[in-house]
Amino acid sequence: MKLTNFFLPTKKEVPSEAKIVSHRLMLRAGLIRMETSGIYSWLPLGYKVLEKIRHIIEFQHLQKNINQMLMPTIQSSDIWIQSRRYDSYGEEMLRITDRNQKKLLYGPTNEEMITVLGKDYIQSYKELPLYLYHIQNKFRDEIRPRFGVMRAREFLMKDAYSFDIDKKSAEKTYELFFNLYLNIFNKMGLNIIPVRALSGEIGGDLSHEFHCLCETGESEIVVDTNILEPQKSESFSTFSNYYSSTIEYFEKSGIENSKLKVKKSIELGHIFLFGDKYSSSFDFKINSPSGLIFPYMGSYGIGLSRIPAACIEINHDEKGIIWPQQISPFDLIIINLRVKSELCVNFCNEMYDVCKNQNIDILFDDRDERIGVKFSEADLIGIPFQLLIGKRFEEDSVIELKNRKTGDVLEITEKEFLENYLKKIRQ
RNA sequence: CGGGGAGUAGCGCAGCCUGGUAGCGCAUCUGUUUUGGGAACAGAGGGUCGCAGGUUCAAAUCCUGUCUCCCCGACCA
């Protein structure tokens, strides 16, 4: 994409209302725009990040043969009345009435809907286990939305649901998702800590949340200090050697241990095993060798739209965002510092075409702007690598590859760039 | 929902106390000069001061109501 064609409304100043650094940078870099309290539009640059995250999640789910689908955001209240959550979910649920006075709601989650779906289609235990997921907007009418997309009312979530024949099988499924989640967050370049959690409104008896450590986070977790060392081979079994839980879980458990520390964090994922809570309330029974059984269910969520904010909170400096390569909106930005020079223009266009042909997601700053503006905005939007073409190229055919994170600038030739560096830039 | 704050140009703000018909910075447009880290100069455009009502000769300013947004707290991915 050429920057002259790309909608990138950056700002030097930002409303004083935005308090935390990720919210400020997301507004300044033109990633998001508030429409009303807790409800945001994702502008092209922000949407690209969201799409990178989505692709990682979709790819990893596909590796485990988990079916992707799409359920509607609007649900009938009938199924929520049947699960007895229509009242208990309370004010957080956005209720809507259609022209026929039918009571609808904007779904905060989909356990009810997926249970009814399972009941309609699953005839035999031989079809189990069955895993389904979708990526869809949710609405929870938060008492106080804040921090931009970090605590929004409308948000994008990946939610998966599992059906198993019994508890033992469901626990294997739970472990599969647990490891899948570690893998997904790892692929996003995020250090994540799984913590034992209470299961809250969803219900059930086994639940973990996935947190990243962050001083400005709204959550608190209690962890064994050994867990803070980065783990080489992260898996369910590795983490089961250490204590980690949400502060709420810790307080209820009454454990005492001097090796435990309280840390601020951001919750990015939550998994639950809730058994037959919903299958029984919907009288969802299937035949099995041991007679009629209620399928054992679980659900597995990732707060997609919270991830860019969490990532920025952890990866930024005074100049702006520093995206991890894996979820950066672009792999590389080519910056033409000499727009008036035919030599530079032609060379930039040539590099732009080469990169496109090599499947590099590339942004080309071809604008007739002052170099200060170009440098500042490139630093602000945080693309990991900047290819600078200007004076040094005109004089000595040297192009400069700058690392956004370290600030290091490599002076290289076209040949070196194409042969040695292009593949490092591609994800 | 309780407590606090704010709505004035696309964005950030001043003006309000003490009423006299709106200003600054950034951005935008035109021109000239500049050009390796958010340029300089000259000129220009852009506002029913959140909305409604009231007081007054006169309201951004005072009064009443209302809507919206933000912050602190209780709730949550």
Side-chain angles (χ1 to χ4, degrees), chain A residues 167-221:
Chain A
K167 186 169 184 180
K168 197 177 157 208
S169 166
E171 281 169 353
K172 279 173 74 177
T173 295
Y174 188 84
E175 195 172 323
L176 180 145
F177 274 98
F178 190 105
N179 288 327
L180 174 65
Y181 272 36
L182 292 178
N183 201 16
I184 284 172
F185 289 118
N186 189 30
K187 291 278 192 257
M188 289 176 189
L190 278 167
N191 283 322
I192 213 83
I193 298 175
V195 298
R196 194 78 162 79
L198 300 169
S199 44
E201 182 58 30
I202 308 261
D205 43 27
L206 184 56
S207 176
H208 282 83
E209 293 179 5
F210 293 78
H211 286 247
C212 64
L213 292 178
C214 177
E215 276 309 309
T216 51
E218 289 186 272
S219 306
E220 284 183 325
I221 57 175

Side-chain angles (χ1 to χ4, degrees), chain A residues 3-15:
Chain A
L3 202 34
T4 46
N5 296 321
F6 193 67
F7 182 64
L8 182 64
T10 58
K11 290 182 188 308
K12 282 200 222 173
E13 291 168 307
V14 99

Side-chain angles (χ1 to χ4, degrees), chain A residues 3 8 10-12 25 28-30 45 317-322 333 335 337 365 367 369-383 386 388 402 404:
Chain A
L3 202 34
L8 182 64
T10 58
K11 290 182 188 308
K12 282 200 222 173
L25 286 174
R28 279 193 59 208
L45 192 70
D317 62 17
E318 66 288 346
K319 290 175 179 169
I321 302 168
I322 304 171
I333 179 169
I335 306 177
L337 301 170
D365 189 351
R367 297 173 304 170
E369 281 287 351
R370 300 179 59 81
I371 58 140
V373 173
K374 293 189 167 204
F375 282 136
S376 307
E377 292 195 352
D379 289 345
L380 175 63
I381 65 177
I383 296 166
Q386 303 172 2
L388 312 178
K402 182 176 162 187
R404 169 65 181 88

Side-chain angles (χ1 to χ4, degrees), chain A residues 261-329:
Chain A
K261 263 195 170 160
V262 178
K263 291 280 184 181
K264 289 260 188 193
S265 67
I266 301 169
E267 178 187 357
L268 296 176
H270 201 164
I271 62 178
F272 305 88
L273 208 54
F274 48 74
D276 62 3
K277 173 172 172 172
Y278 298 96
S279 47
S280 64
S281 45
F282 286 93
D283 194 31
F284 169 23
K285 287 182 287 216
I286 56 174
N287 261 313
S288 82
S290 50
L292 285 175
I293 53 112
F294 292 118
Y296 213 91
M297 295 174 62
S299 70
Y300 315 88
I302 294 178
L304 239 90
S305 48
R306 183 179 275 183
I307 292 174
C311 239
I312 294 170
E313 212 54 53
I314 297 165
N315 304 290
H316 68 270
D317 62 17
E318 66 288 346
K319 290 175 179 169
I321 302 168
I322 304 171
W323 290 112
Q325 213 173 332
Q326 299 90 327
I327 65 163
S328 173

Side-chain angles (χ1 to χ4, degrees), chain A residues 197-200 222 243 245-255:
Chain A
L198 300 169
S199 44
V222 182
Y243 182 89
S245 76
T246 61
I247 189 127
E248 295 85 2
Y249 186 92
F250 177 78
E251 282 166 355
K252 281 205 177 170
S253 69
I255 291 172

